[in-house]
Amino acid sequence: MTEMAKLSLPDGKSMELPVLTGSENEKAIDISDLRKKTGYITLDPGFANTGVCESKISYIDGEHGILRYRGFPIEELAENPSFVEVAYLLINGELPNKMQLENFADRISLHSMIHEDMRHFFEGFSQNSHPMVILSAMISSLSAYYSEASGKASMEDLEINSARLIAKISTIAAFSYKKSVGQPFVYPRDELSYSANFLNMMFSVPAEPFELDPEIERSLELLLVLHADHEQNCSASTVRVVGSSEANVYASVASGILALWGPLHGGANQQVVQMLQKIHMDGTGISKYIEKAKNQYSNFRLMGFGHRVYKNFDPRAKILKNECDRILSKLGINDPLLDIALELEEIALSDDYFIERKLYPTLDFYTGIIYRALGIPLNMFTVMFVLGRVPGWIAQWKEMHEDAKQKIARPRQLYTGQTKRKYVPIAERV
Ligand code: ACO
């Protein structure tokens, strides 16, 4: 029998609300009939207490630092990271067998080229355009080439559209980098793995041979796997909200890219390294920055610290901290920014301000140091996040369309503006 919660309202009305239980025993009060039955709405800025859907894709226990994709612990998926396998898992719900994986990987490779006309789009952007802008514009432009993808009908073609998105986004990302450095575009090579193909498009030039370092390829696979989904965060919610109007999957993902760009979300990975660089150049020590972050009158925040859901270590940050050590020592790099990051983390984790607010390092705190080691430039960091997150966005978009209970996203508001008043013609205004 469904458990019920009782809500008593100030006007004497009351209502019984069903209590739902998730598979990990999380509880939710179903308020979907609240306004219809009582006239009241709920108010929850930033949706901090609001569940917008039931989902089977990823599970986070922020209190205990747990993240699972489709039930599999992130630590296990990170052991021998395969981004294409994880993409299949997120979108289809189960791990692929050997043949399913090969077919999925082949389908992605098959769609890696973009329409030749799209090359000209890059000419319209100035050389110093941020690659995130280019990426979002180009992904939404894909709708112009794949018209069968329009609206909810694209669910029928989702298999091919997923492959197109996962494949083409890496080509577009690499082209936008090439544009920014004034080098010729390097076309995709289908015989390479997803990460190897991306690295080849980014770093090879026609003038000389390019040797791919398998250590770098492995590190990139790991980063992509760790970014692949994170339940109802700002960008995933954006993809769902846009998709709920039956906008196509390309338009929905393009909107997700822009939501991810903000410094409080995916843009934090660029901000972390900029912050570490500033501390390094300043040379006067870390405590000044810790004090600034704690000062309520300063708008400075310790970037890469704090998360809406994690009130404990982000499990991805733990994995990446080890990966920083591994890849930097394999590549023989001694990055002073890593030393600053470690010191900053140690000081913050023993400071009452951060302890009381449960502010821990998130994955963004470490990704930038690894991207630097891999040779990825600063303005491409958030683009790398996008490459990893695309399968998660597709899975979220798909799940929303398969859920019979989902409707167009249309929140309510509590109006606090002027009550009715009379229009004053301009000649009579003071
Ligand atoms: N540095 C200093 N103080 C912080 C930080 C930080 N990084 N993060 C939160 N706080 C403080 C706030 O000032 C607030 O203090 P108060 O209670 O005295 O007012 C308290 O901790 C709670 O913070 P909120 O902003 O209310 O928490 P919220 O859940 O809304 O925000 C967020 C989470 C946006 C991630 C925040 O922690 C932040 O701005 N972090 C820095 C940016 C960042 O790294 N973003 C990446 C997040 S991960 C991702 O999206 C991929």
Side-chain angles (χ1 to χ4, degrees):
M1 211 175 73
T2 317
E3 276 181 275
M4 301 300 272
K6 189 164 179 184
L7 177 69
S8 303
L9 297 162
D11 57 8
K13 283 185 194 153
S14 69
M15 184 181 171
E16 298 246 302
L17 298 159
V19 176
L20 308 179
T21 306
S23 50
E24 293 285 347
N25 217 23
E26 288 180 306
K27 301 280 181 188
I29 300 168
D30 180 351
I31 57 145
S32 45
D33 281 340
L34 180 66
R35 188 174 180 280
K36 197 160 65 188
K37 294 205 171 142
T38 66
Y40 285 72
I41 60 162
T42 55
L43 195 61
D44 186 20
F47 310 122
N49 307 281
T50 299
V52 290
C53 59
E54 290 177 19
S55 181
K56 296 180 169 56
I57 303 170
S58 45
Y59 170 70
I60 303 175
D61 176 343
E63 267 66 40
H64 298 102
I66 292 172
L67 170 63
R68 296 182 201 135
Y69 295 162
R70 300 281 188 187
F72 298 103
I74 194 67
E75 293 78 4
E76 289 181 25
L77 296 171
E79 259 166 43
N80 289 303
S82 162
F83 175 60
V84 171
E85 182 183 61
V86 164
Y88 183 100
L89 169 70
L90 289 169
I91 296 170
N92 299 294
E94 294 297 337
L95 286 168
N97 62 29
K98 200 165 173 289
M99 191 186 276
Q100 287 167 327
L101 183 59
E102 277 169 16
N103 289 343
F104 187 64
D106 285 350
R107 205 175 316 125
I108 291 174
S109 298
L110 195 70
H111 290 284
S112 55
M113 295 210 309
I114 56 171
H115 195 291
E116 196 61 11
D117 287 351
M118 285 187 80
R119 281 176 54 112
H120 304 302
F121 295 5
F122 287 93
E123 288 159 23
F125 290 98
S126 71
Q127 191 152 341
N128 46 17
S129 306
H130 198 287
M132 284 294 278
V133 182
I134 304 181
L135 196 61
S136 161
M138 298 297 272
I139 293 301
S140 92
S141 304
L142 288 174
S143 311
Y145 292 86
Y146 306 109
S147 55
E148 74 267 34
S150 73
K152 200 174 175 178
S154 55
M155 275 297 281
E156 285 158 28
D157 303 312
L158 194 63
E159 231 175 81
I160 191 165
N161 286 323
S162 304
R164 281 176 182 145
L165 264 169
I166 295 170
K168 291 183 199 307
I169 206 151
S170 109
T171 308
I172 293 169
F175 281 16
S176 66
Y177 167 66
K178 289 294 193 191
K179 160 84 189 172
S180 73
V181 289
Q183 288 180 3
F185 295 150
V186 175
Y187 281 77
R189 280 178 40 200
D190 287 356
E191 79 277 15
L192 297 177
S193 75
Y194 189 84
S195 293
N197 178 47
F198 175 72
L199 291 166
N200 185 60
M201 289 190 290
M202 280 284 288
F203 298 121
S204 69
V205 287
E208 52 192 57
F210 173 70
E211 265 193 41
L212 189 76
D213 184 334
E215 293 298 340
I216 293 187
E217 185 185 345
R218 188 193 185 278
S219 227
L220 182 55
E221 283 286 311
L222 175 67
L223 285 158
L224 296 177
V225 164
L226 296 184
H227 282 101
D229 193 58
H230 213 230
E231 53 120 300
Q232 308 312 314
N233 53 77
C234 177
S235 54
S237 304
T238 302
V239 170
R240 280 186 178 251
V241 167
V242 174
S244 78
S245 74
E246 300 198 358
N248 70 45
V249 68
Y250 300 106
S252 307
V253 167
S255 314
I257 292 173
L258 293 176
L260 189 83
W261 190 18
L264 297 188
H265 192 12
N269 59 13
Q270 180 175 338
Q271 302 281 328
V272 169
V273 165
Q274 283 169 332
M275 174 185 78
L276 296 174
Q277 281 171 331
K278 198 166 165 208
I279 299 175
H280 180 55
M281 307 254 285
D282 182 351
T284 57
I286 285 165
S287 37
K288 182 170 107 188
Y289 291 89
I290 297 273
E291 289 314 310
K292 229 170 132 188
K294 287 159 53 176
N295 183 346
Q296 58 168 317
Y297 301 109
S298 140
N299 58 9
F300 176 78
R301 286 193 161 192
L302 217 51
M303 298 312 285
F305 260 77
H307 195 276
R308 173 64 60 76
V309 182
Y310 290 119
K311 300 301 166 198
N312 199 324
F313 253 98
D314 176 341
R316 303 165 302 173
K318 275 191 192 165
I319 297 169
L320 287 176
K321 194 173 172 181
N322 291 335
E323 181 62 11
C324 272
D325 286 341
R326 192 194 76 84
I327 191 72
L328 265 63
S329 85
K330 283 264 180 205
L331 300 177
I333 295 173
N334 186 7
D335 189 344
L337 298 196
L338 177 60
D339 300 334
I340 294 175
L342 293 174
E343 200 185 333
L344 201 59
E345 180 186 309
E346 201 183 318
I347 297 176
L349 290 179
S350 56
D351 187 300
D352 282 348
Y353 175 94
F354 293 89
I355 294 169
E356 278 161 20
R357 290 168 181 75
K358 299 188 172 146
L359 301 171
Y360 289 86
T362 61
L363 93 161
D364 297 311
F365 195 66
Y366 289 109
T367 50
I369 292 167
I370 302 179
Y371 289 138
R372 272 162 64 90
L374 307 192
I376 310 273
L378 189 64
N379 68 354
M380 284 290 287
F381 287 5
T382 316
V383 169
M384 304 307 296
F385 195 148
V386 172
L387 292 195
R389 186 52 61 85
V390 166
W393 286 334
I394 296 170
Q396 299 285 346
W397 192 93
K398 178 174 180 243
E399 185 177 69
M400 181 200 59
H401 280 304
E402 285 167 348
D403 182 352
K405 280 192 240 148
Q406 284 300 308
K407 304 166 174 224
I408 185 167
R410 204 316 186 173
R412 294 270 178 176
Q413 62 167 15
L414 186 65
Y415 178 68
T416 55
Q418 296 278 358
T419 52
K420 188 178 175 190
R421 50 185 174 156
K422 199 164 165 37
Y423 176 80
V424 183
I426 195 158
E428 292 169 28
R429 287 177 221 159
V430 282

